[in-house]
Amino acid sequence: MATLETDKVFAGSIPENYDRYMVPLIFEPFAADLVARAASLSPAAVLETAAGTGVVTRALAPKLSPGASYTVTDLNQPMLDYAASRQPPDGRITWRRADALALPFEDAAFDLVCCQFGAMFFPDRPSAYREARRVLRPGGHFLFSVWDCIEENVFADDVTNALARIFPDDPPRFLARTPHGYHDKAVIRHELEDAGFSGVMIETRAEQSRASSPRLPAVAYCQGTVLRTEIEAREAGKLQAATDYAASAIADRHGSGAVAAKIQAHVIMATA
């Protein structure tokens, strides 16, 4: 499935809603795992791409050595601004708007490039991988994660199916198309090897997505992602009703109290 240009536009109230709702729901469990893997490499110079609202940054910075440098980037300035606002002052961190497909850094400048759930949004992943390879020192590591298919990520699937019932003629497919649209492990491995990486390791990892009520995942997906833009484009003023309907669908399947469901992703490590 092709990524649309609008799939990359996280603006307005989306960054705040994304951080408030999406991060605890689906990103924090995987961030802890990614950070443990990153810290085990004892990197001295780290580049994070597609950092979003900074969930990995907040967890990784305390694990790095006092002399380490940490360059945190995102294509989307509102997301980067929000991430910086949440981060305690830290002289090791440099914040910079940057396109992962055209990184504004010297060759061999870093020994770790990490990226949590950003590669799915890259319009040209082979170019992004070549750029990661270029800025890594020989023997450096590229560590990143992507979501598995939407059927393995239950709340996202529930919301997508619910919205398809509201908008049967033109169902909003952002979640299936982009966040969950890049999960073929053979394709990932091939693209990394073509970009010059070796020792590609891909681990599929399941976690639990937990929320105190069915409404939280509905708000997270419908109002904290670009899905919001898709809903509003289909019918003005329908966002709240669509969110309510998605919440009802989750409640029907998972109950009206605290809810939990499977989330699943691939964690990838490759050597430059």
Side-chain angles (χ1 to χ4, degrees), residues 29-124:
F30 287 104
D33 173 71
L34 198 79
V35 164
R37 294 170 194 255
S40 74
L41 300 168
S42 301
V46 179
L47 170 64
E48 184 179 352
T49 59
T53 57
V55 60
V56 168
T57 317
R58 291 192 289 275
L60 181 54
K63 308 279 190 190
L64 298 177
S65 69
S69 67
Y70 191 179
T71 304
V72 182
T73 68
D74 197 278
L75 179 63
N76 193 283
Q77 191 66 48
M79 296 287 264
L80 198 63
D81 291 344
Y82 192 89
S85 78
R86 293 285 317 275
Q87 189 76 30
D90 190 331
R92 299 170 302 167
I93 298 178
T94 301
W95 303 93
R96 185 160 178 183
R97 182 181 181 275
D99 185 346
L101 275 64
L103 292 170
F105 306 110
E106 298 292 322
D107 295 358
F110 302 96
D111 45 27
L112 174 65
V113 175
C114 63
C115 180
Q116 174 165 267
F117 301 123
M120 310 89 63
F121 293 92
F122 299 158
D124 182 349

Side-chain angles (χ1 to χ4, degrees), residues 17-223:
N17 284 337
Y18 179 97
D19 199 64
R20 179 184 299 172
Y21 300 116
M22 291 299 288
V23 165
L25 186 71
I26 62 173
F27 292 115
E28 280 179 348
F30 287 104
D33 173 71
L34 198 79
V35 164
R37 294 170 194 255
S40 74
L41 300 168
S42 301
V46 179
L47 170 64
E48 184 179 352
T49 59
T53 57
V55 60
V56 168
T57 317
R58 291 192 289 275
L60 181 54
K63 308 279 190 190
L64 298 177
S65 69
S69 67
Y70 191 179
T71 304
V72 182
T73 68
D74 197 278
L75 179 63
N76 193 283
Q77 191 66 48
M79 296 287 264
L80 198 63
D81 291 344
Y82 192 89
S85 78
R86 293 285 317 275
Q87 189 76 30
D90 190 331
R92 299 170 302 167
I93 298 178
T94 301
W95 303 93
R96 185 160 178 183
R97 182 181 181 275
D99 185 346
L101 275 64
L103 292 170
F105 306 110
E106 298 292 322
D107 295 358
F110 302 96
D111 45 27
L112 174 65
V113 175
C114 63
C115 180
Q116 174 165 267
F117 301 123
M120 310 89 63
F121 293 92
F122 299 158
D124 182 349
R125 280 175 285 268
S127 290
Y129 296 161
R130 285 191 293 272
E131 277 293 272
R133 173 74 178 76
R134 179 184 66 77
V135 302
L136 277 167
R137 295 165 185 153
H141 293 92
F142 184 26
L143 173 64
F144 69 104
S145 55
V146 297
W147 292 113
D148 202 349
C149 62
I150 196 166
E151 292 81 8
E152 300 289 352
N153 289 271
V154 174
F155 288 146
D157 200 34
D158 290 343
V159 169
T160 298
N161 292 334
L163 294 178
R165 293 192 290 273
I166 300 178
F167 303 104
D169 296 333
D170 187 14
R173 296 287 296 168
F174 165 72
L175 296 176
R177 180 179 63 247
T178 300
H180 299 283
Y182 182 62
H183 52 77
D184 186 318
K185 290 185 283 188
V187 170
I188 296 167
R189 183 181 301 278
H190 173 74
E191 290 182 346
L192 285 166
E193 290 174 348
D194 269 7
F197 285 99
S198 61
V200 178
M201 295 183 291
I202 303 176
E203 179 183 326
T204 301
R205 185 177 180 87
E207 296 278 1
Q208 284 287 298
S209 181
R210 301 180 188 278
S212 58
S213 75
R215 181 158 190 82
L216 283 177
V219 171
Y221 285 109
C222 293
Q223 300 185 23

Side-chain angles (χ1 to χ4, degrees), residues 10-19 21-22 159 215-229 231-232 238-244:
F10 286 74
S13 62
I14 289 178
E16 184 179 352
N17 284 337
Y18 179 97
D19 199 64
Y21 300 116
M22 291 299 288
V159 169
R215 181 158 190 82
L216 283 177
V219 171
Y221 285 109
C222 293
Q223 300 185 23
T225 75
V226 178
L227 189 57
R228 176 185 189 133
T229 310
I231 294 167
E232 291 175 329
K238 195 71 179 274
L239 179 64
Q240 203 56 55
T243 305
D244 293 345

